[in-house]
Amino acid sequence: MEEFKSELGKKQVIPKNRRRNIKETIPPEDWNNWRWQLKHRITSFEEIKKYLDLLPEEEAIDASKNISFRMAITPYYLSLIDMNNPDDPIRMQSIPKIHEALPNAFDMDDPLNEDTDSPVPGLTHRYPDRVLLLITDQCSMYCRHCTRRRKAGETDAPMPSEKINQAIEYIKNNKEVRDVILSGGDPFTLSEERLDEILSHLYQIEHVEIIRIGTRTPVVLPQRINDSLLDILKKYQPIWINTHFNHPQELTPESRLAIAKLVNNGFPVSNQSVLLKGINDHIDVMKELLHKLVKNRVRPYYLYQCDLSKGISHFRTPISKGIEIVESLRGHTSGLCIPTYVVDAPGGGGKIPVNPNYIISMAPNRVVLRNFEGHISVYTEPGYEKQNPKKYTGLCPEAKESNDGIISLIKGDILSIGAHESKRKNRNKK
Ligand SMILES: *Cc1c(COP(=O)(O)O)cnc(C)c1O
Ligand code: SF4
């Protein structure tokens, strides 16, 4: 029940059944304006209480004054909450709970070592040919499960331009970078002018072949995908968009329109979900989400195991839950609907794909495989002579050699890699 001060200064109570959805209280021209939405984000529990009753665990964190990660919810995203459902998936992703303040022994500030793998501030260079560039720490809605919560919302503002220039300079000087991923925060919270500037700098770098933009605006602020934004983006093709839907309830007419605009203007859209306890950790819910995405021309890309960031342990599932979900998908539905399930390795190992086991056994020339139904068959391998690398590089003169990591064991004369810091190695040194 909501309380507010009437004109007479007395406290009045609005009964639940007379409470209105926030959307009904706003003129459409404001509602459809992304700047209005961003400016009117809900940032206090007082405000939330105008639209729904708080749950005890939400009241508890409010009372504790211990929210270490900023709260901000676009009116649009808030309007999707079913106020009668305490387990509403939109609610769980946007309204903090006391669980965030409860310590967990395995939680870490920066589980992915993004700050350590950072040659210049805001840029993570972990993989050989691509970099992650954080151009703002502002998001239109702060996801309670955010893995980058140490950074997101820190200032609720774009990165200073000197920092971004430094990162662009780094990319210029590192010719192996052919793919730049803009993230944050949410890059689409920036103004068109600022985006235009950053994109044009990157676009001018000859060795940068593609730009990717990670944004949750199609989900939490679909009004942002407007013509003036698209006009800017169109100048810098090829741009790939990665968004972040976690639940079928997020595919509303508004968000579907935002996707359609992106795809119709030539931007491939893919989706990264996080496996979240109580939200999408169920085979039927996940399948519904994936089907809806593909129906809207969004290609599911990754399904992330929830990271070990501080304050999000209540969202975590066992890894085996994700394997079960993939088992329920592969073969059972279009391959196009199936994301790659990955664990982003704690300590900065990067994304590690994990799958059910489909190879049952192997012998020279014989590989025993099973399918999704439990049908078991053997594939007889051909004889295979040693390859002549020159023949291939002759066919494809632009091909670059890949020699790092496990492939170095396969291609080269190296006998072992890794475990450099092991006790055994140190003993043997002495
Ligand atoms: C996820 C990620 C990438 C991109 O990985 P892809 O598998 O190419 O999508 C790049 N850099 C960092 C630091 C990442 O976390
Ligand atoms: S949009 Fe991305 S960066 Fe922002 S809070 Fe959500 S998960 Fe974190």
Side-chain angles (χ1 to χ4, degrees), residues 114 124 126-127 130-132 148 179 181 212 272 301-302 304 344 351:
E114 288 187 328
T124 302
R126 167 164 307 145
Y127 298 103
R130 53 211 189 278
V131 295
L132 174 72
R148 212 170 281 142
D179 173 3
I181 300 154
R212 291 194 253 176
Q272 319 197 125
Y301 180 46
Y302 281 135
Y304 285 97
D344 218 329
K351 299 174 185 75

Side-chain angles (χ1 to χ4, degrees), residues 8-235:
L8 300 170
K10 280 192 216 141
K11 283 203 163 181
Q12 284 193 350
V13 174
I14 295 184
K16 233 181 185 174
N17 57 6
R18 277 186 34 219
R19 193 175 286 163
R20 291 201 292 166
N21 185 300
I22 185 169
K23 185 175 179 180
E24 298 165 30
T25 66
I26 312 296
E29 62 274 22
D30 284 341
W31 189 259
N32 297 325
N33 177 340
W34 76 275
R35 289 233 170 252
W36 183 92
Q37 288 275 347
L38 197 60
K39 194 164 162 212
H40 292 85
R41 291 179 302 173
I42 288 95
T43 56
S44 76
F45 281 94
E46 255 341 281
E47 244 184 306
I48 294 180
K49 277 191 263 184
K50 289 190 204 160
Y51 307 103
L52 32 93
D53 294 317
L54 292 186
L55 302 171
E57 55 269 36
E58 293 163 350
E59 281 191 9
I61 194 158
D62 185 27
S64 79
K65 301 284 166 236
N66 195 6
I67 305 185
S68 57
F69 179 54
R70 192 186 291 271
M71 170 171 78
I73 311 169
T74 53
Y76 163 78
Y77 201 61
L78 189 85
S79 78
L80 305 182
I81 296 178
D82 172 1
M83 64 173 109
N84 299 315
N85 178 9
D87 299 321
D88 181 88
I90 311 287
R91 174 177 204 136
M92 289 175 72
Q93 291 181 71
S94 56
I95 303 181
K97 286 183 183 179
I98 189 66
H99 305 64
E100 291 187 22
L102 306 177
N104 179 294
F106 296 98
D107 285 1
M108 291 179 270
D109 268 331
D110 179 16
L112 310 180
N113 276 24
E114 288 187 328
D115 298 340
T116 343
D117 281 348
S118 181
V120 292
L123 182 135
T124 302
H125 193 175
R126 167 164 307 145
Y127 298 103
D129 65 343
R130 53 211 189 278
V131 295
L132 174 72
L133 173 54
L134 310 182
I135 58 175
T136 177
D137 73 38
Q138 183 173 58
C139 298
S140 48
M141 193 283 284
Y142 290 104
C143 313
R144 302 327 301 172
H145 56 273
C146 180
T147 185
R148 212 170 281 142
R149 50 190 5 246
R150 74 185 187 290
K151 278 250 173 83
E154 199 176 41
T155 61
D156 201 40
M159 295 283 175
S161 36
E162 315 86 74
K163 273 197 186 172
I164 298 184
N165 293 343
Q166 226 183 320
I168 291 173
E169 209 49 39
Y170 176 87
I171 296 168
K172 258 188 211 158
N173 294 331
N174 285 271
K175 289 218 158 57
E176 71 275 21
V177 178
R178 43 161 287 286
D179 173 3
V180 176
I181 300 154
L182 299 182
S183 182
D186 194 321
F188 285 171
T189 56
L190 292 191
S191 68
E192 272 116 36
E193 296 71 36
R194 192 71 190 104
L195 274 173
D196 197 2
E197 215 176 318
I198 296 170
L199 288 170
S200 78
H201 284 307
L202 292 171
Y203 192 69
Q204 281 162 29
I205 305 174
E206 205 161 319
H207 54 270
V208 172
E209 297 175 358
I210 59 167
I211 296 169
R212 291 194 253 176
I213 300 177
T215 175
R216 213 178 177 200
T217 54
V219 188
V220 297
L221 182 65
Q223 297 80 5
R224 177 66 184 104
I225 311 300
N226 59 13
D227 291 344
S228 44
L229 176 68
L230 293 166
D231 285 342
I232 302 285
L233 299 179
K234 274 194 272 190
K235 299 196 281 178

